Amino acid sequence: MKSFQQARWEEPLLWELSLEGRSGCLPPVDERVIREVGSVEELVPDKIRRKSSLDLPELTENMVVRHFVRLSQMTFCVDTGMYPLGSCTMKYTPKAAEAAAALPGFRDIHPLQHEDTVQGALRLMYELQQILAGIAGLPGVSLQPPAGAAGEFAGCLIIRKYFEERGEVDRRTEMLIPDSAHGTNPASAAMAGFEVVVIPSGSDGLIDLEALKATVSERTAGIMLTNPNTLGLFEKNILDITRIVHEVGGLVYYDGANLNAIMGWARPGDMGVDIMHFNLHKTFGAPHGGGGPGSGPIAVSKELEEYLPVPVVAYDEERDRYYLDYNRPKSIGKVHGFFGNFPVLVKAYVYIRLMGRGGLKRAAAHAVLASNYLARRTEVLRGLKLSHAPHLLRKHEFVLTATELKAQRGVTAGDIAKRILDFGLHAPTMYFPLIVKEALMVEPTETEPLETLDSYAEVLSQIVNEAWSSPEQVKRAPYATTVRRVDEVRAARPKTRALTWRDLKRLKEKEGSI
Amino acid sequence: MKSFQQARWEEPLLWELSLEGRSGCLPPVDERVIREVGSVEELVPDKIRRKSSLDLPELTENMVVRHFVRLSQMTFCVDTGMYPLGSCTMKYTPKAAEAAAALPGFRDIHPLQHEDTVQGALRLMYELQQILAGIAGLPGVSLQPPAGAAGEFAGCLIIRKYFEERGEVDRRTEMLIPDSAHGTNPASAAMAGFEVVVIPSGSDGLIDLEALKATVSERTAGIMLTNPNTLGLFEKNILDITRIVHEVGGLVYYDGANLNAIMGWARPGDMGVDIMHFNLHKTFGAPHGGGGPGSGPIAVSKELEEYLPVPVVAYDEERDRYYLDYNRPKSIGKVHGFFGNFPVLVKAYVYIRLMGRGGLKRAAAHAVLASNYLARRTEVLRGLKLSHAPHLLRKHEFVLTATELKAQRGVTAGDIAKRILDFGLHAPTMYFPLIVKEALMVEPTETEPLETLDSYAEVLSQIVNEAWSSPEQVKRAPYATTVRRVDEVRAARPKTRALTWRDLKRLKEKEGSI
Amino acid sequence: MAFLPNIGKAERHMLRFLGLEKLDDLFEDIPEEVRQRCCLDQVPEAVPEVVLWRYLNKLAAQNRAEPYRRFVGGGLYAHYVPAAVDFIAARTEFVTSYTPYQAEVSQGLLQALFEYQSLIAELFDMEVVNASLYDGATAVGEAIRMALRVSKRKKVIVPKLMPPHRRRVLQAYTTALDCKIVEIGYDNRGLLDLAELEQEVDDATAAVYVENPTCLGAFEEQIFEISDIAHKKDALLIAYVDPISLAIVEPPGAYDADIAVGEGQPLGLHLGFGGALLGIFACKRKYLMKMPGRLIGATVDVEGRRAFCMTLQTREQHIRRERATSNICTNESLSAITAAAYLALLGPQGLRRVCEAVLANTAYLARRLNTLPGVTAPAFEGVCYFREIPARFDGWLAREIREMCIKRGIDPGLDLGTWFEGFERILLACTTEVHQKEDLDRLVSVLAELVR
Amino acid sequence: MAFLPNIGKAERHMLRFLGLEKLDDLFEDIPEEVRQRCCLDQVPEAVPEVVLWRYLNKLAAQNRAEPYRRFVGGGLYAHYVPAAVDFIAARTEFVTSYTPYQAEVSQGLLQALFEYQSLIAELFDMEVVNASLYDGATAVGEAIRMALRVSKRKKVIVPKLMPPHRRRVLQAYTTALDCKIVEIGYDNRGLLDLAELEQEVDDATAAVYVENPTCLGAFEEQIFEISDIAHKKDALLIAYVDPISLAIVEPPGAYDADIAVGEGQPLGLHLGFGGALLGIFACKRKYLMKMPGRLIGATVDVEGRRAFCMTLQTREQHIRRERATSNICTNESLSAITAAAYLALLGPQGLRRVCEAVLANTAYLARRLNTLPGVTAPAFEGVCYFREIPARFDGWLAREIREMCIKRGIDPGLDLGTWFEGFERILLACTTEVHQKEDLDRLVSVLAELVR
Ligand SMILES: Cc1ncc(COP(=O)(O)O)c(C=O)c1O
Ligand SMILES: Cc1ncc(COP(=O)(O)O)c(C=O)c1O
């Protein structure tokens, strides 16, 4: 086992580094202009001029840079180690994608500048629309949603609009969502005004067809599902599922978060899906940015195309010119102030072009291969087991349950996760999907080398041994991280809660420093 | 005292990560071209085609990136903490300088492409020549030397040439060098064919005028000195020194490594210096790159200008055109294949323009201020003292000696240096200059905030206390670093020496892994 | 296959381990007919990086990216991004990590986000700030949804002068809600018509939403009065503000805003063709549990060291699901860190200098434009403009002016006719500190040639 | 004062602590007259970053940086630098650290340099490699100095066809030595004249220095014979080789070179107007103690963990001073790390592919050029060219051709008349894998128009 230790700098907060008079950047003020127009005091009416002091920290460039470099070293990331966070597809981002997004010609253009002056950007977007349509097997694409959840929301609004146009909106109130679904699915459906109806999974982890049949009705607006589902299992009855929903007049929404498992091998459009979103920051190698920006383009069937958010990037063949098509009277409007997270689009575009058709397909296969390999290597560990249908192939991810360890030794999935951190590896997603107790959801992705998968398995094996022989060792983990186990309760308790430097100062005055 | 721990990844060597068939980048080969011209086998005669296998590691991009990111986190740098390496001026580099050097217009131009197509680059170099001339107080500048030592060598060749032109080269064989000088000075002089004559320092750490007078003669080619010297003391008799050397017909070379102490306050040219080099990577904020690239431009008096290396960047006012002047028949030739480390020139240029005249002067003052502040705060620590003339002001650096600690407790300067590492700070330069026993040479630079200087002093104070009370604690340091104290003897011993992966493999086979 | 380490030997090993023969065997659970139909013809074959790079550069070169001859604002602004900010935003540890679910290995990210929340709290003078929403427009949508939730009322008041790109997002965010959005007109200064507002605000009013500066660039000088009008009826005041401007004008906290939102892009983010923005969301502490988005809190670890973690997650979708305060999951963390780096770098002095430069440039541009024959700038008078100046052209449509300028290599600003009926003659020009006097003079002289 | 944290309060505090009043007091040890004379008029006043950035972009835009219409080589080559290499080379930990004097906190840097040494050892098939010299030219200088030292002889043999920019460095490096440099001519293939060589190599010969490929781009096919000739007289063989080419041609170790040097720039370094190059220096183990430059060795720490450190420093100037093997101190570490990253990224397959592409492009360009009326390409026949092709123009001077091409936006290569007398009609064109067939065709068609 390799000895790992994360960096620890005990870095103060910005204000604790501040000293009056410092500044890291003083933009120029043109005296010639000031002379002509007057000073701030003359220009801004007293009434609205800021009275309170502006307590921002005062630092020089060197101090700011050092501060953030130190913070960065205390942040685990894909570029430092395996990050098998289930459902998140933490794959490697090509550095060419980063470089491309930083080209001034992409980075420094304004979304409202004249269309003639952004033809290259529009072309890239247009090409990406075409490519995504091809991968989805659905013809209409909007790149606008800035994340998966935003794609879901846009999708739900489209479903709503579709029924509105049919005069059925007041009747089609129910959105069916499997119990294994990601939380954004019900949340998005609710935001779009639907009532969430939960579809239970069968013991095999798949949607229970009978339950589904019993639930669909003329109130059904649609179903939201991801496939493979969050257990990593492919809904083999997908054609039945989509047929059942379609038969009652509902639409099928596909949560593309798990597309990495099947891209190039199966297209949602071919499964009967009417509308879907992509997570470019998962499937298409755009980085996750510590939580974002992401990008959640949607693809829809021909029938739903007219409802897409405005603008859509279009191409005028005659004039060989790309343009933003706002002239879409049935559009649901907008789900982002502009055209979505363009730099993420650039990154995904680069990723796709570098991988190519064959590469994407191979990537999906390798994601599935890695997942099954690691599943088989770890399900055998004493006290862990695969959550559902252990005989089935997994797709890109799998879920272990640690119920036995919990019952026998009091070691929870959370404890195991924390202990994993001690080995320079990131933990799996914990406690999701909600239908699995003591869940550890592992998604290795195709970019992890076999050797790392092996060491992950070995680490897990060691931890399980520890859990049986000296459970406290696991329960007190982690040890080798920047800080040791963090007190989340204290963070949430009203009395000790501190969400800003101001809060923290107040608390410090009250009860001494933290 | 802040708790610090450096990252530790136990990162394998590249070969230990390799697996057959992997590649991180496969450039294209145009089949159309191959079809026309034939394959490698057809193009390269068998006789010279490589026969031995090429045992480079096989990795993917993600693996390579992760490897080097991990290595980077195990590397202390200015952007992570105070780095008061005496004589090295480890100041902060403006990020704008890095960004400027990465502009494709600077980064991707070829030194031999047509002059008409590099006017911007030539202009920048020309401006920098002018600026450096101004700072030196010497009119002729060559930007060519790729480091300080290369500047020294070029300078010595110029001195040689100067005497050659006067027919004195066979007689002027001696280069006078103070005993406190940096090792590059004698080495460069020797490379240029001079015999090194050491000038002893007086008890006040300054050049002993009497000794100097006794040494100069008609054999004296010149003197090489830095001022302030490596003890951080200004040679207050500098005008006498230069006069004495000039009187016997010798030239004065100024090692600009310590220019950060006086820039804007005094110019070498005004001290009687005939020729000097700059260390752009020290004084002018260019980064040190883990050991280089640096840049060591030289400046010379009017008299020596014709000997400068070729080409010099010149400006044709009439045609408003910059050009490379190779037409300099008395030039010493070249000390670099092209024009020196251009990207470093760009960085230094940016630094100088951002700081401006006033900023440079203030920077020097603050470097001196920080040095004296820290000197005064640490010389009082029991067992440490200032090396020479404790009553004198220091300039940008100062040298402590730990002889007492060594004598009393066996704790050496090296031990203290190692222990400093445990606090997230870099050690001073150790055992230099050679004239100070148990030397710790501290150069805080102007870019360290007062708060950091204070904590440096506190850390040193704690260490000194430890040294007295529990010397082993210090002698076994460091503890919080990626690895603990490294066995340098083993590295050097022929039997255990491993300078390459091949060596290491051989050793491993012999005696088990390291 | 630069990103697939398990080709060849490793692939074979793993397949063998699983008792499989080929990669296809991994997909047997997909219905045959679905697999057969799958075709990737619309995806091009792989391109080597060197070739793709050239193509990307070609595309990039087809965009006009320099800000010096562009005077376009409309909610996003070309401020100078210091190199140190780009440097920090590019640290791969921030770029390639995800939501800090494991606090112990993500302290750096968490601290940076905590600092972001803290910096915005200072700048806005508000009690709590979340760790980012997608952008300013969706922040408005969330704010109004939250106000409706909090107040349990159904009417929302917004200015008629609200840019359509933001207004349409708001529309989408409220599509499914049983609420009424009432638009309030503007007075002859382009500010909110107070009389109309007084009339509309009633006991059913959930919130009054106001923009400051207005989308025409004017500071809303009546902001204190508006706040009073709203609060008199217990309606919430939602203020959409420009973060940069808060170095010189009163922050939302000063006029007792209940929720304050804004677009954080000006704080060190590149325009990015309108992407990777930063939805700022702040509110009063009393609404904490109702607010959307992620929150980072300070705490300690088991050894008593200061530490940070995500907190109050019970508001969020992964726990509360359909009853969550929002569906947001992936947010704009990297943008938040970038903004934190920008604010830390500039500090109060630097930020104030940006404001000074912007104010001065704006005033200067207005003056110069106003000297042109048939041009009135600002088109609405008597208020203080920040960055943007509406200029009315008597003899021309703004669209025509813009087209003619584009031909001369200059983008003079937005044609407000595309935003508001009746504004067809108004051009909205925009300037920041990146423009030097000469740039403004050039714009004016190009326009002078056109209108003379 | 973005980089000076101790202004204001801190400055006052420190001055007070030192009992001083003002900054000037810190410089009282400088003679009054020197201080008085100091004037910084030639240094401009500070410029804000936003303004300077604009100026820098203007300067950068005045340089033609795209490689597609440039066919210039001469020792540095525009290979494609993968983005991952740039990324690694920009890690600030590598950029802002210095020589790893404290091994314990510099393990990453040390390991990277050790890997560089190891990679070059494999590529060159040589026993020891130092951690970099300034560039290929100074590496030649050092190699020849070392050979003179090792052999205690005084004659050095070099090819007449050696680019002046390298030749002049060699000249400078040997200026002060009592040695004789003899130039050997070339045969009708442009390769070393073996007969002449045989004649010149004698018992006084310290070293035979040979370039492979030659500076005209041809592989030195007689390299084994040359090695024999040198070794027969116990002269050292010094080979200057192109690192990229070693994926397909015999490495210096194969022909028993005693010292092998080269320019490492093609290994992932940008051209940088010829800066931040990489002097590769390798030799036989028996010469270890005589070699210049820094060396990194593997070892263990007190706990037995693998560790790295600088070693055999007694050869270096900071210890051995005037008797050091070289004066080099600051070297090109970052370039070495960059090259290591490049080699690790491409691996044997990738590197071979680069070679294939280069070889093919070179051969293709030669063929096409040769079809032009009055053009002979290669100007010397019968050997294999790599990247560079000398093309002779019957009716034109190379200088004229180049000037005409420049006017058409293309830089066709070097005018060899500036290098060698009698080569005035020879243009040295250069291509790498960044050129696509269309680029080569364009060059040829531009030339075709000129010479027709
Ligand atoms: C299965 C699933 N669906 C939806 C989402 C939501 O995507 P985003 O975070 O981009 O909004 C996620 C992301 O975590 C997910 O894992
Ligand atoms: C005083 C002094 N002189 C000369 C040099 C040599 O400079 P460089 O390392 O750039 O060759 C140094 C650098 O370490 C130095 O400190």
Side-chain angles (χ1 to χ4, degrees), chain A residues 16 36 48 50 67 79 107 109 112-113 117 127 181 289-291 337 341 366 395 418 450 484 487 501, chain C residues 6 11 55 70 92 95 97 102 104 118 123 135 248 250 272-273 276 299 306 321 331 367-368 402:
Chain A
E16 294 165 326
E36 186 157 341
I48 56 166
R50 185 170 181 130
H67 177 74
D79 281 359
R107 195 188 62 180
I109 50 176
L112 302 180
Q113 78 184 68
T117 66
E127 287 185 27
N341 282 337
H366 278 203
K395 294 261 87 55
K418 294 297 177 206
L450 170 59
R484 297 209 31 218
D487 187 347
W501 165 243
Chain C
N6 298 327
E11 185 184 281
Y55 180 64
R70 186 179 60 206
T92 200
V95 175
S97 55
Q102 298 294 342
E104 293 82 359
S118 304
L123 194 56
D135 69 349
I248 46 162
E250 287 287 20
F273 208 34
T299 180
R306 181 153 74 195
R321 300 179 76 83
N331 57 18
R367 275 198 198 191
R368 285 294 148 104
R402 193 176 189 193

Side-chain angles (χ1 to χ4, degrees), chain B residues 130-139 227 234 238-239 242 254 259 261-274 276 278, chain D residues 30-43:
Chain B
Q130 305 293 104
I131 289 170
L132 292 179
I135 293 171
L138 291 165
N227 193 12
F234 193 87
I238 183 66
L239 294 173
T242 57
Y254 176 80
L259 190 67
I262 57 165
M263 67 178 165
W265 299 86
R267 298 186 306 180
D270 298 332
M271 302 182 200
V273 163
D274 301 291
M276 70 171 288
F278 301 84
Chain D
I30 302 180
E32 179 75 23
E33 61 177 296
V34 172
R35 268 156 72 198
Q36 299 250 295
R37 247 182 276 154
C38 186
C39 130
L40 279 193
D41 287 356
Q42 267 172 267
V43 183

